[in-house]
Amino acid sequence: MTLQPHRSKLSGWGRFPVVDGLVLKSEDLPAATEGATLSRGLGRSYGDSSLPAGTDLPVADATLADRLLGFDPASGMLRAEAGASLFELNRVFLRRGWFVPVSPGTQFVTLGGMVASDVHGKNHHVDGCFGEHVRGLKLRVADGRIIECSDTAEQELFRATIGGMGLTGHILEVEFPMRPIPSPWIWSESQRVENLDLMAAGLKEAAREWPMTVGWIDCLARGAKLGRGILMKGRWAQPDEAPKKPPPLKGRLRVPFQFPGIALCKPNMKAFNLAYYWKHIQPCRRGIVHPDAFFYPLDALDDWNLIYGRRGFTQYQCVLPHADGNGPARRFLERFVSAGGMGFLCVIKDCGAEGKGMLSFPQPGISIAMDFPIHPTKTPALVDRLNELVIAEGGRIYLTKDTFTRPEHFRAMEPRLEAFNAVRRKWDPEVRIRSAQSVRLLGDSA
Amino acid sequence: MKAVLFGASKGMGRALARLMAARGDRLFLIGRVSEDLERSARDLEIRGAPAPVMTAFCDLLNPESFAPALDRAERELDGFNAVVVTAGMFATQEEMETDPQLAARVLAADFTGTVLFCEEARRRLLATGGGTLCVFSSVAGERGRKPVILYGAAKAGLSKYLEGLDHKFRARGLRTVCVKPGFVKTGMTAGLKPPPMAGQPEAVARRVLRAIDRGRPEVYAPAAWRGVMCIIRNLPRFVMRKIEF
């Protein structure tokens, strides 16, 4: 029997936009991708990256293709089908003393998605993006061929695929080394920080000693308190300081229904930010924490995107070069507040070197990410204003989070786009593989 | 446990095999596509099944493949004490109404093929003093229902066969477990609209494994389907003619 596509409502994690898509879903990913114009995983990119370019263009759902195909306990090298989730990998490998070299802030992502977004994590300042660690990929390219690519075979295709948002081909298999860890627990230290200068200095200083760092900031605080927040640092605990038992599987709560829009009015957002800040009542906390609580605090709440209600939400994430101390980050936050932005969660992180992925997001500098509910007119205007500033600062945005950027803004912040397009044209002259995002930003036909 | 798994490369079979692998059961996979079986074998080894997990060809539509596959499993595992059948075919009622050949294949695979395979399996289990024969039937076999007339008929026959096995051979050590899954979100049901009580393969697999360990003759999964089917079984005909369930 040939695989039949079915209709399904599709959206990213932000629940906007929503499209009535045609989905091919099977354990047999080579079969599912044969007639597909795009592949998607668990749909955790926020905007339109994982959505098909048109309602009749089939998209392959990779999530059932989740087998682990080979693991070498001596070197840690793992090969797996692209639909395998980080949640599964953690469940299988954490208690055995292995962890992925780079983990994003949720474990509900697939390996294929981790490559396509070239995800980064709390260890970016030392380990770079996930793509730096990928040894090989099996891809189905636009003409239907299945190709193995790596740094030694079809290097161009390999580097365009890392961070290439799934636009170079369907990722079928991923090979990368897992990393040995001394224990499955985290030793963490967190401190309350009163303003942006201290936060930036804290991140910089922590980066010298700690393999994992991140900051949360109260994005509604202004003036002298601008950029106040919590600075978190962590490392894998040594066996003698960790509990003897492996971390238990954590129960998760579920958001039972879509919240009404009023839940996200300004006073509520203020209250949340204030509570998050003052919950950290001691200036500094240290100790052993559960790896899930450290890496994936939001995963404890299933379907948390429903909190943003019917209109959905978006996340804005950009990276601003360091050249000018904390100036860029300060100007960014000031612009955000003055343009009427309000957000729940704002995450700040210092990035290390740029990766090998041709469109990979991070570059040396400071990355800022914030969530906000979508307003039909105000949100696009806010994103425009933020993008103008990012262009002026020489920064760029993260496509995985983007829903509203204009193509001219994207081109202005991406001098690397021409090289990426050239590789794409070479492998896909008719531009068969495309997404709603590539229609919006790269001018592909719908 | 030393188990032969028929149909473990997909869906609920895959989920169940992974739970068994994680607790260190010795596994032997049989199925139609050898490359697919090999990939699943590697997956199960990484998840904790003692290596090597071996495989053999077996096809529900080819009864001559049954005995060689089970012989091979017996040799490789040095005897087995459990056989799990999740293999099966599914097609919608409309597809089968318009394509009699497809209907013939589904009926042959889900009834004749499965029953003949179970005959081979239970002979071998009984010969070594018994063991567990766990077979995935379906709630579709509980009542003649409009959306699953043909598929349901095959599964109804299968359920009755398994019930008979349980009555006859339980005393001699054969523990028959008839699994009746309701709607479960797998590749098989990817195109269908899930009802409110749709289950996830892993949750179903956990329930089934518990039933295997306890030797329960019948298990509904997800559990809520037991109640639903109890109501459906007792609805009068004039209601069944009216509703589309």
Side-chain angles (χ1 to χ4, degrees), chain A residues 1 4 6-7 25-28 30 64-71 78-79 81 87-88 91-93 96 138 172-173, chain B residues 9-11 14 18 36-37 39-40 42-43 46-48 89-91 95 102 105 185-188 190-191 202 206:
Chain A
M1 276 190 291
Q4 295 296 324
H6 66 272
R7 287 264 157 216
K25 186 172 182 179
S26 165
E27 283 94 347
D28 186 351
L64 294 179
D66 64 349
R67 285 180 289 201
L68 311 176
L69 301 172
F71 178 66
L78 176 74
R79 190 175 183 92
E81 293 177 335
F87 176 77
E88 263 312 281
R91 200 161 62 163
V92 173
F93 287 105
R96 291 196 224 163
K138 187 185 266 189
L172 303 178
E173 290 175 17
Chain B
S9 68
K10 288 190 165 65
R14 180 184 285 188
R18 284 178 175 174
D36 191 43
L37 292 175
R39 289 166 77 92
S40 284
R42 300 296 84 74
D43 180 60
I46 296 170
R47 288 162 190 271
M89 259 183 94
F90 178 79
E95 285 168 332
L102 176 65
R105 284 207 305 281
K185 291 179 180 168
T186 63
M188 185 182 105
E202 201 195 308
R206 269 199 300 272

Short mmCIF file of all heavy atoms in Angstrom, two decimals, chain A residues 1 4 6-7 25-28 30 64-71 78-79 81 87-88 91-93 96 138 172-173, chain B residues 9-11 14 18 36-37 39-40 42-43 46-48 89-91 95 102 105 185-188 190-191 202 206:
data_model
loop_
_atom_site.label_atom_id
_atom_site.label_comp_id
_atom_site.label_asym_id
_atom_site.label_seq_id
_atom_site.Cartn_x
_atom_site.Cartn_y
_atom_site.Cartn_z
N MET A 1 0.85 -1.21 0.00
CA MET A 1 0.00 0.00 0.00
C MET A 1 0.88 1.26 0.00
O MET A 1 1.81 1.35 0.79
CB MET A 1 -0.90 0.01 1.23
CG MET A 1 -2.16 -0.80 1.04
SD MET A 1 -3.33 -0.56 2.37
CE MET A 1 -2.48 -1.34 3.73
N GLN A 4 -0.77 7.22 2.15
CA GLN A 4 -1.74 8.28 1.82
C GLN A 4 -1.54 9.49 2.73
O GLN A 4 -1.44 9.33 3.94
CB GLN A 4 -3.17 7.76 2.01
CG GLN A 4 -3.57 6.63 1.07
CD GLN A 4 -3.57 7.08 -0.38
OE1 GLN A 4 -3.93 8.21 -0.69
NE2 GLN A 4 -3.14 6.20 -1.27
N HIS A 6 -2.76 12.79 4.82
CA HIS A 6 -4.02 13.17 5.46
C HIS A 6 -4.00 14.65 5.84
O HIS A 6 -2.93 15.24 6.01
CB HIS A 6 -4.30 12.28 6.67
CG HIS A 6 -3.32 12.46 7.79
ND1 HIS A 6 -2.14 11.75 7.87
CD2 HIS A 6 -3.33 13.26 8.87
CE1 HIS A 6 -1.49 12.12 8.95
NE2 HIS A 6 -2.17 13.04 9.57
N ARG A 7 -5.19 15.20 5.97
CA ARG A 7 -5.33 16.62 6.32
C ARG A 7 -5.15 16.81 7.82
O ARG A 7 -5.66 16.02 8.62
CB ARG A 7 -6.73 17.12 5.95
CG ARG A 7 -6.95 17.29 4.48
CD ARG A 7 -6.71 18.75 4.09
NE ARG A 7 -6.38 18.79 2.66
CZ ARG A 7 -5.51 19.64 2.14
NH1 ARG A 7 -4.87 20.50 2.90
NH2 ARG A 7 -5.27 19.63 0.85
N LYS A 25 2.68 10.71 7.24
CA LYS A 25 3.26 10.28 8.51
C LYS A 25 3.44 8.78 8.51
O LYS A 25 2.48 8.04 8.26
CB LYS A 25 2.31 10.69 9.64
CG LYS A 25 2.85 10.44 11.02
CD LYS A 25 1.94 11.06 12.07
CE LYS A 25 2.51 10.86 13.45
NZ LYS A 25 1.67 11.46 14.48
N SER A 26 4.64 8.34 8.74
CA SER A 26 4.91 6.90 8.74
C SER A 26 6.20 6.61 9.48
O SER A 26 7.07 7.47 9.58
CB SER A 26 5.03 6.42 7.29
OG SER A 26 5.61 5.13 7.25
N GLU A 27 6.31 5.37 9.98
CA GLU A 27 7.58 4.93 10.55
C GLU A 27 8.65 4.91 9.47
O GLU A 27 9.84 5.01 9.76
CB GLU A 27 7.45 3.52 11.13
CG GLU A 27 6.76 3.44 12.47
CD GLU A 27 5.27 3.16 12.35
OE1 GLU A 27 4.73 3.26 11.21
OE2 GLU A 27 4.64 2.84 13.37
N ASP A 28 8.21 4.74 8.23
CA ASP A 28 9.13 4.65 7.10
C ASP A 28 9.38 6.05 6.54
O ASP A 28 8.66 6.51 5.65
CB ASP A 28 8.50 3.73 6.05
CG ASP A 28 9.44 3.44 4.89
OD1 ASP A 28 10.51 4.08 4.82
OD2 ASP A 28 9.10 2.59 4.07
N PRO A 30 11.89 7.35 4.70
CA PRO A 30 12.18 7.48 3.26
C PRO A 30 10.90 7.45 2.42
O PRO A 30 10.78 8.20 1.46
CB PRO A 30 13.06 6.25 2.99
CG PRO A 30 13.73 5.98 4.29
CD PRO A 30 12.72 6.32 5.35
N LEU A 64 7.49 9.50 13.87
CA LEU A 64 7.43 8.05 14.09
C LEU A 64 8.73 7.36 13.70
O LEU A 64 8.94 6.19 14.03
CB LEU A 64 6.26 7.44 13.30
CG LEU A 64 4.85 7.85 13.74
CD1 LEU A 64 3.81 7.18 12.85
CD2 LEU A 64 4.60 7.49 15.19
N ALA A 65 9.59 8.06 12.97
CA ALA A 65 10.88 7.48 12.59
C ALA A 65 11.88 7.81 13.70
O ALA A 65 12.62 8.78 13.62
CB ALA A 65 11.35 8.07 11.27
N ASP A 66 11.84 7.01 14.76
CA ASP A 66 12.58 7.39 15.97
C ASP A 66 13.50 6.28 16.48
O ASP A 66 13.73 6.16 17.68
CB ASP A 66 11.58 7.78 17.07
CG ASP A 66 10.69 6.62 17.48
OD1 ASP A 66 10.69 5.58 16.79
OD2 ASP A 66 9.99 6.74 18.51
N ARG A 67 14.01 5.46 15.55
CA ARG A 67 14.86 4.36 16.03
C ARG A 67 16.31 4.79 16.19
O ARG A 67 16.82 5.61 15.42
CB ARG A 67 14.78 3.18 15.05
CG ARG A 67 13.49 2.44 15.20
CD ARG A 67 13.40 1.27 14.25
NE ARG A 67 13.24 1.69 12.88
CZ ARG A 67 12.76 0.92 11.92
NH1 ARG A 67 12.40 -0.32 12.19
NH2 ARG A 67 12.64 1.37 10.69
N LEU A 68 16.95 4.19 17.19
CA LEU A 68 18.39 4.37 17.39
C LEU A 68 19.07 3.27 16.59
O LEU A 68 18.73 2.10 16.74
CB LEU A 68 18.73 4.26 18.88
CG LEU A 68 17.82 5.09 19.80
CD1 LEU A 68 18.18 4.83 21.26
CD2 LEU A 68 17.93 6.56 19.48
N LEU A 69 19.99 3.64 15.72
CA LEU A 69 20.50 2.66 14.76
C LEU A 69 21.87 2.11 15.12
O LEU A 69 22.26 1.05 14.64
CB LEU A 69 20.55 3.30 13.36
CG LEU A 69 19.20 3.81 12.86
CD1 LEU A 69 19.39 4.60 11.58
CD2 LEU A 69 18.24 2.66 12.64
N GLY A 70 22.61 2.84 15.93
CA GLY A 70 23.91 2.33 16.30
C GLY A 70 24.49 3.17 17.43
O GLY A 70 24.35 4.39 17.43
N PHE A 71 25.11 2.50 18.42
CA PHE A 71 25.75 3.23 19.50
C PHE A 71 27.03 2.52 19.88
O PHE A 71 27.03 1.31 20.11
CB PHE A 71 24.82 3.32 20.72
CG PHE A 71 25.45 4.04 21.88
CD1 PHE A 71 25.75 5.39 21.79
CD2 PHE A 71 25.77 3.35 23.05
CE1 PHE A 71 26.36 6.04 22.85
CE2 PHE A 71 26.36 4.01 24.12
CZ PHE A 71 26.66 5.36 24.02
N LEU A 78 26.68 7.96 18.19
CA LEU A 78 25.30 7.50 18.06
C LEU A 78 24.78 7.84 16.68
O LEU A 78 25.04 8.93 16.16
CB LEU A 78 24.42 8.19 19.11
CG LEU A 78 22.92 7.88 19.05
CD1 LEU A 78 22.63 6.48 19.57
CD2 LEU A 78 22.13 8.90 19.88
N ARG A 79 24.08 6.88 16.07
CA ARG A 79 23.38 7.17 14.83
C ARG A 79 21.90 6.87 15.06
O ARG A 79 21.57 5.84 15.65
CB ARG A 79 23.93 6.33 13.68
CG ARG A 79 23.40 6.78 12.33
CD ARG A 79 24.07 6.01 11.20
NE ARG A 79 23.60 6.50 9.92
CZ ARG A 79 24.20 7.46 9.21
NH1 ARG A 79 25.28 8.03 9.66
NH2 ARG A 79 23.70 7.84 8.06
N GLU A 81 17.55 7.66 13.65
CA GLU A 81 16.61 8.23 12.68
C GLU A 81 16.25 9.65 13.13
O GLU A 81 16.22 9.95 14.32
CB GLU A 81 15.36 7.35 12.57
CG GLU A 81 15.67 6.00 11.95
CD GLU A 81 14.46 5.06 11.88
OE1 GLU A 81 13.52 5.21 12.70
OE2 GLU A 81 14.47 4.17 11.03
N PHE A 87 13.89 13.85 24.29
CA PHE A 87 13.27 13.25 25.47
C PHE A 87 13.61 11.75 25.56
O PHE A 87 14.01 11.25 26.61
CB PHE A 87 11.75 13.45 25.38
CG PHE A 87 10.99 12.80 26.49
CD1 PHE A 87 10.95 13.37 27.75
CD2 PHE A 87 10.31 11.61 26.27
CE1 PHE A 87 10.25 12.77 28.78
CE2 PHE A 87 9.60 11.00 27.29
CZ PHE A 87 9.57 11.58 28.56
N GLU A 88 13.48 11.05 24.42
CA GLU A 88 13.81 9.62 24.38
C GLU A 88 15.29 9.40 24.64
O GLU A 88 15.67 8.50 25.40
CB GLU A 88 13.51 9.07 22.99
CG GLU A 88 12.18 8.36 22.80
CD GLU A 88 11.85 7.33 23.85
OE1 GLU A 88 12.37 6.21 23.82
OE2 GLU A 88 11.04 7.69 24.73
N ARG A 91 16.00 9.72 28.21
CA ARG A 91 15.46 8.60 28.97
C ARG A 91 16.37 7.37 28.85
O ARG A 91 16.57 6.64 29.81
CB ARG A 91 14.06 8.28 28.47
CG ARG A 91 13.28 7.51 29.47
CD ARG A 91 11.82 7.60 29.20
NE ARG A 91 11.47 7.02 27.91
CZ ARG A 91 10.22 6.69 27.61
NH1 ARG A 91 9.26 6.90 28.48
NH2 ARG A 91 9.95 6.19 26.44
N VAL A 92 16.90 7.17 27.65
CA VAL A 92 17.73 5.98 27.44
C VAL A 92 19.15 6.19 27.99
O VAL A 92 19.72 5.28 28.59
CB VAL A 92 17.80 5.63 25.94
CG1 VAL A 92 18.81 4.51 25.68
CG2 VAL A 92 16.42 5.21 25.42
N PHE A 93 19.70 7.38 27.79
CA PHE A 93 21.15 7.55 28.01
C PHE A 93 21.56 8.24 29.31
O PHE A 93 22.67 8.04 29.77
CB PHE A 93 21.77 8.30 26.83
CG PHE A 93 21.88 7.46 25.59
CD1 PHE A 93 21.01 7.64 24.52
CD2 PHE A 93 22.84 6.46 25.50
CE1 PHE A 93 21.12 6.86 23.39
CE2 PHE A 93 22.95 5.67 24.38
CZ PHE A 93 22.08 5.86 23.32
N ARG A 96 22.70 6.11 32.06
CA ARG A 96 23.91 5.35 31.71
C ARG A 96 25.14 6.24 31.63
O ARG A 96 26.22 5.79 31.24
CB ARG A 96 23.73 4.69 30.36
CG ARG A 96 22.73 3.57 30.37
CD ARG A 96 22.92 2.76 29.10
NE ARG A 96 21.66 2.44 28.50
CZ ARG A 96 21.51 2.02 27.24
NH1 ARG A 96 22.57 1.92 26.46
NH2 ARG A 96 20.34 1.72 26.77
N LYS A 138 22.14 11.70 6.80
CA LYS A 138 21.57 11.08 5.60
C LYS A 138 20.40 11.95 5.18
O LYS A 138 19.50 12.23 5.98
CB LYS A 138 21.12 9.65 5.89
CG LYS A 138 20.69 8.93 4.61
CD LYS A 138 20.12 7.56 4.92
CE LYS A 138 21.20 6.50 4.81
NZ LYS A 138 20.63 5.13 4.88
N LEU A 172 17.10 12.39 7.17
CA LEU A 172 16.61 11.05 7.48
C LEU A 172 17.32 10.44 8.69
O LEU A 172 16.71 9.77 9.50
CB LEU A 172 16.78 10.12 6.27
CG LEU A 172 16.12 10.55 4.97
CD1 LEU A 172 16.43 9.54 3.87
CD2 LEU A 172 14.62 10.69 5.13
N GLU A 173 18.64 10.66 8.74
CA GLU A 173 19.42 10.09 9.85
C GLU A 173 20.49 11.08 10.29
O GLU A 173 20.98 11.88 9.47
CB GLU A 173 20.11 8.78 9.41
CG GLU A 173 19.14 7.64 9.19
CD GLU A 173 19.81 6.40 8.63
OE1 GLU A 173 21.06 6.31 8.70
OE2 GLU A 173 19.09 5.54 8.12
N SER B 9 8.30 -3.88 14.58
CA SER B 9 9.03 -2.75 14.02
C SER B 9 8.16 -1.49 13.93
O SER B 9 8.66 -0.41 13.64
CB SER B 9 9.61 -3.11 12.65
OG SER B 9 8.57 -3.28 11.71
N LYS B 10 6.88 -1.62 14.20
CA LYS B 10 5.99 -0.45 14.06
C LYS B 10 5.02 -0.35 15.22
O LYS B 10 4.76 -1.31 15.92
CB LYS B 10 5.17 -0.60 12.77
CG LYS B 10 5.97 -0.42 11.49
CD LYS B 10 5.01 -0.35 10.31
CE LYS B 10 5.66 0.19 9.07
NZ LYS B 10 6.72 -0.66 8.53
N GLY B 11 4.47 0.86 15.36
CA GLY B 11 3.32 1.11 16.22
C GLY B 11 3.41 0.56 17.64
O GLY B 11 4.42 0.71 18.33
N ARG B 14 6.26 -1.83 18.39
CA ARG B 14 7.54 -1.17 18.65
C ARG B 14 7.60 -0.68 20.09
O ARG B 14 8.60 -0.88 20.79
CB ARG B 14 7.71 0.01 17.69
CG ARG B 14 9.01 0.76 17.88
CD ARG B 14 9.12 1.99 16.99
NE ARG B 14 9.40 1.65 15.60
CZ ARG B 14 9.70 2.56 14.66
NH1 ARG B 14 9.78 3.83 14.99
NH2 ARG B 14 9.91 2.19 13.42
N ARG B 18 10.16 -2.06 23.05
CA ARG B 18 11.11 -1.18 23.75
C ARG B 18 11.02 -1.35 25.26
O ARG B 18 12.04 -1.31 25.96
CB ARG B 18 10.84 0.27 23.36
CG ARG B 18 11.37 0.56 21.97
CD ARG B 18 11.06 1.98 21.55
NE ARG B 18 11.69 2.25 20.26
CZ ARG B 18 11.49 3.37 19.57
NH1 ARG B 18 10.69 4.31 20.05
NH2 ARG B 18 12.11 3.56 18.43
N ASP B 36 14.10 -3.58 7.66
CA ASP B 36 13.33 -2.91 8.70
C ASP B 36 13.50 -3.62 10.04
O ASP B 36 13.69 -2.99 11.09
CB ASP B 36 11.86 -2.91 8.25
CG ASP B 36 10.99 -2.03 9.11
OD1 ASP B 36 11.43 -0.90 9.42
OD2 ASP B 36 9.88 -2.45 9.46
N LEU B 37 13.49 -4.96 10.01
CA LEU B 37 13.67 -5.73 11.24
C LEU B 37 15.06 -5.49 11.83
O LEU B 37 15.22 -5.36 13.05
CB LEU B 37 13.50 -7.23 10.96
CG LEU B 37 12.10 -7.71 10.60
CD1 LEU B 37 12.14 -9.19 10.24
CD2 LEU B 37 11.14 -7.48 11.76
N ARG B 39 16.94 -2.84 11.54
CA ARG B 39 17.01 -1.52 12.17
C ARG B 39 16.34 -1.55 13.54
O ARG B 39 16.85 -0.96 14.51
CB ARG B 39 16.35 -0.47 11.27
CG ARG B 39 17.15 -0.16 10.01
CD ARG B 39 16.33 0.61 9.01
NE ARG B 39 16.17 2.01 9.34
CZ ARG B 39 16.98 2.98 8.90
NH1 ARG B 39 18.00 2.69 8.14
NH2 ARG B 39 16.76 4.23 9.23
N SER B 40 15.21 -2.24 13.64
CA SER B 40 14.54 -2.34 14.94
C SER B 40 15.37 -3.15 15.92
O SER B 40 15.41 -2.85 17.11
CB SER B 40 13.15 -2.98 14.77
OG SER B 40 12.26 -2.04 14.23
N ARG B 42 18.63 -3.27 16.10
CA ARG B 42 19.68 -2.40 16.65
C ARG B 42 19.10 -1.46 17.69
O ARG B 42 19.66 -1.22 18.75
CB ARG B 42 20.35 -1.60 15.54
CG ARG B 42 21.03 -2.39 14.42
CD ARG B 42 22.20 -3.23 14.88
NE ARG B 42 21.82 -4.52 15.40
CZ ARG B 42 21.41 -5.56 14.65
NH1 ARG B 42 21.32 -5.45 13.35
NH2 ARG B 42 21.09 -6.70 15.21
N ASP B 43 17.92 -0.89 17.39
CA ASP B 43 17.25 0.02 18.32
C ASP B 43 17.02 -0.66 19.67
O ASP B 43 17.30 -0.11 20.73
CB ASP B 43 15.92 0.46 17.70
CG ASP B 43 15.12 1.42 18.56
OD1 ASP B 43 15.65 2.51 18.86
OD2 ASP B 43 13.98 1.10 18.95
N ILE B 46 20.27 -1.21 21.68
CA ILE B 46 20.75 0.00 22.35
C ILE B 46 19.91 0.29 23.59
O ILE B 46 20.39 0.80 24.58
CB ILE B 46 20.73 1.19 21.37
CG1 ILE B 46 21.69 0.94 20.21
CG2 ILE B 46 21.09 2.50 22.08
CD1 ILE B 46 21.56 1.93 19.07
N ARG B 47 18.64 -0.08 23.54
CA ARG B 47 17.74 0.18 24.66
C ARG B 47 17.81 -0.89 25.74
O ARG B 47 17.04 -0.84 26.70
CB ARG B 47 16.31 0.32 24.16
CG ARG B 47 16.08 1.60 23.41
CD ARG B 47 14.83 1.53 22.59
NE ARG B 47 14.74 2.66 21.69
CZ ARG B 47 14.17 3.82 22.00
NH1 ARG B 47 13.64 3.99 23.19
NH2 ARG B 47 14.14 4.80 21.13
N GLY B 48 18.67 -1.87 25.57
CA GLY B 48 18.90 -2.80 26.68
C GLY B 48 18.62 -4.26 26.42
O GLY B 48 18.87 -5.10 27.28
N MET B 89 -3.12 -6.18 9.52
CA MET B 89 -3.33 -5.25 8.41
C MET B 89 -4.54 -4.42 8.74
O MET B 89 -5.50 -4.89 9.36
CB MET B 89 -3.62 -6.03 7.13
CG MET B 89 -2.44 -6.15 6.21
SD MET B 89 -2.95 -7.00 4.72
CE MET B 89 -3.35 -5.64 3.66
N PHE B 90 -4.53 -3.17 8.28
CA PHE B 90 -5.70 -2.33 8.48
C PHE B 90 -6.05 -1.62 7.19
O PHE B 90 -5.17 -1.19 6.45
CB PHE B 90 -5.45 -1.30 9.58
CG PHE B 90 -6.63 -0.38 9.80
CD1 PHE B 90 -7.72 -0.81 10.52
CD2 PHE B 90 -6.65 0.89 9.24
CE1 PHE B 90 -8.82 0.02 10.70
CE2 PHE B 90 -7.74 1.73 9.43
CZ PHE B 90 -8.83 1.30 10.16
N ALA B 91 -7.34 -1.54 6.91
CA ALA B 91 -7.82 -0.68 5.83
C ALA B 91 -9.19 -0.18 6.26
O ALA B 91 -9.86 -0.83 7.07
CB ALA B 91 -7.92 -1.46 4.52
N GLU B 95 -12.43 1.71 1.82
CA GLU B 95 -11.40 1.14 0.96
C GLU B 95 -11.71 -0.32 0.64
O GLU B 95 -11.60 -0.76 -0.50
CB GLU B 95 -10.02 1.22 1.62
CG GLU B 95 -9.42 2.62 1.62
CD GLU B 95 -8.20 2.73 2.55
OE1 GLU B 95 -8.11 1.97 3.55
OE2 GLU B 95 -7.34 3.57 2.27
N LEU B 102 -8.36 -6.09 -1.70
CA LEU B 102 -7.81 -5.56 -0.45
C LEU B 102 -8.54 -6.18 0.73
O LEU B 102 -7.92 -6.61 1.71
CB LEU B 102 -7.95 -4.03 -0.43
CG LEU B 102 -7.51 -3.33 0.86
CD1 LEU B 102 -6.01 -3.50 1.08
CD2 LEU B 102 -7.86 -1.84 0.83
N ARG B 105 -7.28 -9.61 1.39
CA ARG B 105 -5.97 -9.63 2.06
C ARG B 105 -6.09 -9.31 3.55
O ARG B 105 -5.47 -9.95 4.39
CB ARG B 105 -5.01 -8.63 1.39
CG ARG B 105 -4.46 -9.11 0.05
CD ARG B 105 -3.09 -8.49 -0.26
NE ARG B 105 -3.09 -7.04 -0.22
CZ ARG B 105 -3.55 -6.26 -1.20
NH1 ARG B 105 -4.04 -6.80 -2.30
NH2 ARG B 105 -3.51 -4.94 -1.09
N LYS B 185 -2.89 6.23 18.74
CA LYS B 185 -2.22 7.08 17.74
C LYS B 185 -0.94 6.44 17.25
O LYS B 185 0.11 6.56 17.88
CB LYS B 185 -1.94 8.46 18.34
CG LYS B 185 -3.20 9.26 18.58
CD LYS B 185 -2.86 10.61 19.18
CE LYS B 185 -4.12 11.41 19.43
NZ LYS B 185 -3.85 12.59 20.26
N THR B 186 -1.03 5.76 16.13
CA THR B 186 0.15 5.13 15.53
C THR B 186 0.16 5.48 14.05
O THR B 186 -0.74 6.15 13.56
CB THR B 186 0.08 3.60 15.66
OG1 THR B 186 -1.06 3.14 14.92
CG2 THR B 186 -0.06 3.16 17.09
N GLY B 187 1.16 4.98 13.34
CA GLY B 187 1.21 5.18 11.90
C GLY B 187 -0.02 4.60 11.21
O GLY B 187 -0.51 5.13 10.22
N MET B 188 -0.55 3.50 11.77
CA MET B 188 -1.71 2.83 11.18
C MET B 188 -2.94 3.74 11.16
O MET B 188 -3.73 3.72 10.23
CB MET B 188 -2.03 1.56 11.97
CG MET B 188 -3.14 0.70 11.40
SD MET B 188 -3.47 -0.76 12.44
CE MET B 188 -5.01 -0.27 13.20
N ALA B 190 -2.84 7.11 11.36
CA ALA B 190 -2.43 8.50 11.14
C ALA B 190 -3.45 9.31 10.35
O ALA B 190 -3.63 10.49 10.57
CB ALA B 190 -1.07 8.54 10.44
N GLY B 191 -4.17 8.67 9.41
CA GLY B 191 -5.10 9.43 8.59
C GLY B 191 -6.49 9.57 9.20
O GLY B 191 -7.33 10.27 8.67
N GLU B 202 2.85 4.12 23.85
CA GLU B 202 3.64 3.73 25.00
C GLU B 202 2.79 3.41 26.22
O GLU B 202 3.07 2.45 26.94
CB GLU B 202 4.64 4.83 25.33
CG GLU B 202 5.78 4.25 26.13
CD GLU B 202 6.60 5.30 26.80
OE1 GLU B 202 7.03 6.23 26.10
OE2 GLU B 202 6.81 5.17 28.02
N ARG B 206 2.60 -0.22 28.13
CA ARG B 206 2.82 -0.46 29.57
C ARG B 206 1.70 -1.32 30.15
O ARG B 206 1.94 -2.23 30.93
CB ARG B 206 2.88 0.89 30.31
CG ARG B 206 4.29 1.44 30.41
CD ARG B 206 4.39 2.49 31.52
NE ARG B 206 3.50 3.62 31.28
CZ ARG B 206 3.84 4.68 30.55
NH1 ARG B 206 5.04 4.76 30.03
NH2 ARG B 206 2.99 5.66 30.37
#
